Amino acid sequence: MLSVDRLPPPLSQGLALTALAPMQDVTDIHFMGVIAHYGSPDYFFTEYFRVHNSSGLHKHILRSITENATGRPVFAQLIGESVDDLVRIAVALSHYPIAGIDLNLGCPAPRIYRKNVGGGLLRDPDMIDRILGALRDAVKGRLTVKMRLGFDNTAHLDRILDLINRHHINLLSLHGRTVKEMYHSDVHYDLIAHAVQRVHCPVLANGNVTSAIAAGAVLAQTGAAGVMIGRAAIRNPWIFQQTRQYLSGQPVTTVTLAAVRNYIERLRQVATTAAIPERARVSHMKMYLNYIGQSVDAVGAFLSEMRRAHTETELFGTCDRYLLSDPDQPFALEPYPGLVARPRAETAHAAIAS
């Protein structure tokens, strides 16, 4: 039986915890393996299992648990509002090698929150109380929550934080924006710091943790037990290793453009198959490259040219020109100001990520 009062040990004792944020359509078994190759976080979280009255255990998400070769614990995330079905799926998942059950109270995608799930539930603390109470009774191991500060304001924040305490949640991952703020506003680190003081469990600070230096600054400002990193880990899979190095006073690994090209090739090999049409393979790779490209060149020429590619030959030819013409040039630790990712779809940006 899983311990309900202790989290799995971190990779480096005495340092802050790190976690890869779950991102729908991104953090599958393949991407987790790629991240692990460059330096695992302390914890992984699955894409969310969508829970309703006819739902089961989605096979492609279940692979992130049953085929996990990262050497690190994986939490299984659920999203839904049907109390009985959330309990049913949580109990079914408890028979697999998971670190715990995580409840999604943060997804900001309109098509999700309009169904009163994910971030939509932040409008209804009474329903959150019912869900957490039922899950706490049913889950004998760890129960964790990933949430935002509120739906369109923070009026319910303290009440929901008190529910985190009442139901003995083991870990809270808190994105420092409301649902309506999406990813556009400044992150309210002061409210994450407030949550750290109010709840009894460890808190992972989430939102704009774009580098190891940023992680250190967020930890200092919030007093959180650790950081959860999402989109920045797509751009820079070395970020967890670099964060441990920075926090322990070691030199931070310098990443070259040649190393980034190797990372892209690794993504290509594990994320696409010949059975998928070329157009779909190109589109899938562009989703990753929209993030990676933010640190390739300051003017965004790589992003602009990459987005115009229609074939794999064009796409990877662009990668070669920009990344291998001066392969020893450092890859920027932070994204260049003004260069933003353009997601493939709503879900690639939304999930419960950074």
Side-chain angles (χ1 to χ4, degrees):
M1 182 181 295
L2 296 172
S3 167
V4 298
D5 56 0
R6 299 194 68 180
L7 292 168
L11 284 166
S12 300
Q13 296 290 337
L15 295 181
L17 300 170
T18 59
L20 175 65
M23 294 171 281
Q24 211 66 9
D25 299 336
V26 177
T27 48
D28 59 11
I29 182 64
H30 303 299
F31 188 73
M32 286 167 50
V34 171
I35 289 290
H37 176 80
Y38 295 102
S40 287
D42 292 306
Y43 310 138
F44 288 96
F45 289 75
T46 69
E47 302 169 82
Y48 58 67
F49 288 87
R50 179 70 174 93
V51 178
H52 47 81
N53 60 8
S54 61
S55 63
L57 299 182
H58 310 308
K59 291 181 180 179
H60 76 281
I61 302 178
L62 198 60
R63 290 183 62 196
S64 301
I65 299 166
T66 59
E67 300 176 30
N68 173 26
T70 67
R72 302 307 300 157
V74 179
F75 290 81
Q77 190 180 72
L78 310 183
I79 190 170
E81 64 169 340
S82 169
V83 175
D84 290 344
D85 292 304
L86 285 165
V87 167
R88 173 176 60 85
I89 295 298
V91 170
L93 284 167
S94 70
H95 298 292
Y96 291 88
I98 59 172
I101 296 292
D102 187 68
L103 178 66
N104 182 327
L105 295 178
C107 182
R111 69 182 186 85
I112 297 297
Y113 70 64
R114 288 183 189 128
K115 299 175 183 177
N116 203 40
V117 300
L121 279 171
L122 295 174
R123 296 171 291 195
D124 191 349
D126 289 338
M127 178 58 75
I128 292 174
D129 190 13
R130 288 181 55 202
I131 291 172
L132 291 181
L135 286 175
R136 182 72 284 172
D137 288 342
V139 174
K140 304 307 179 186
R142 304 177 191 92
L143 178 60
T144 68
V145 169
K146 173 73 168 71
M147 61 178 274
R148 286 185 171 231
L149 298 172
F151 184 73
D152 54 5
N153 60 59
T154 60
H156 296 314
L157 178 60
D158 280 351
R159 184 178 176 197
I160 295 172
L161 294 177
D162 290 344
L163 293 176
I164 297 296
N165 288 335
R166 179 187 304 171
H167 297 295
H168 306 289
I169 299 306
N170 301 108
L171 177 71
L172 172 65
S173 303
L174 184 59
H175 186 123
R177 297 183 178 100
T178 66
V179 169
K180 283 293 192 174
E181 287 174 325
M182 292 287 287
Y183 301 94
H184 310 310
S185 74
D186 291 338
V187 180
H188 306 292
Y189 295 117
D190 58 326
L191 292 179
I192 296 180
H194 171 74
V196 169
Q197 294 298 314
R198 194 172 184 99
V199 300
H200 303 153
C201 66
V203 175
L204 298 181
N206 181 218
N208 278 15
V209 184
T210 53
S211 67
I213 294 173
V218 168
L219 290 167
Q221 185 172 349
T222 63
V227 290
M228 174 175 274
I229 303 172
R231 292 171 292 160
I234 304 175
R235 179 182 57 83
N236 172 16
W238 295 267
I239 195 169
F240 299 108
Q241 177 192 40
Q242 290 171 334
T243 297
R244 284 189 287 271
Q245 291 167 337
Y246 179 75
L247 295 178
S248 61
Q250 301 176 39
V252 173
T253 297
T254 298
V255 179
T256 65
L257 294 185
V260 173
R261 181 63 182 89
N262 288 336
Y263 164 49
I264 292 169
E265 187 60 28
R266 187 174 292 272
L267 287 172
R268 177 188 190 181
Q269 291 173 2
V270 303
T272 60
T273 66
I276 301 173
E278 181 179 25
R279 183 174 179 179
R281 296 198 302 268
V282 169
S283 176
H284 190 73
M285 284 303 304
K286 283 184 179 181
M287 184 270 293
Y288 298 112
L289 294 173
N290 270 311
Y291 294 98
I292 296 168
Q294 296 173 64
S295 289
V296 171
D297 66 293
V299 297
F302 170 78
L303 280 172
S304 179
E305 187 171 336
M306 174 275 294
R307 288 167 177 168
R308 294 196 300 269
H310 297 289
T311 67
E312 288 181 313
T313 298
E314 293 173 346
L315 186 67
F316 294 109
T318 299
C319 291
D320 290 344
R321 283 194 300 278
Y322 281 88
L323 299 171
L324 298 183
S325 62
D326 189 3
D328 294 328
Q329 179 179 328
F331 182 68
L333 292 180
E334 295 272 6
Y336 291 113
L339 298 185
V340 297
R342 185 173 64 189
R344 174 190 58 177
E346 180 178 79
T347 52
H349 229 186
I352 46 177
S354 63

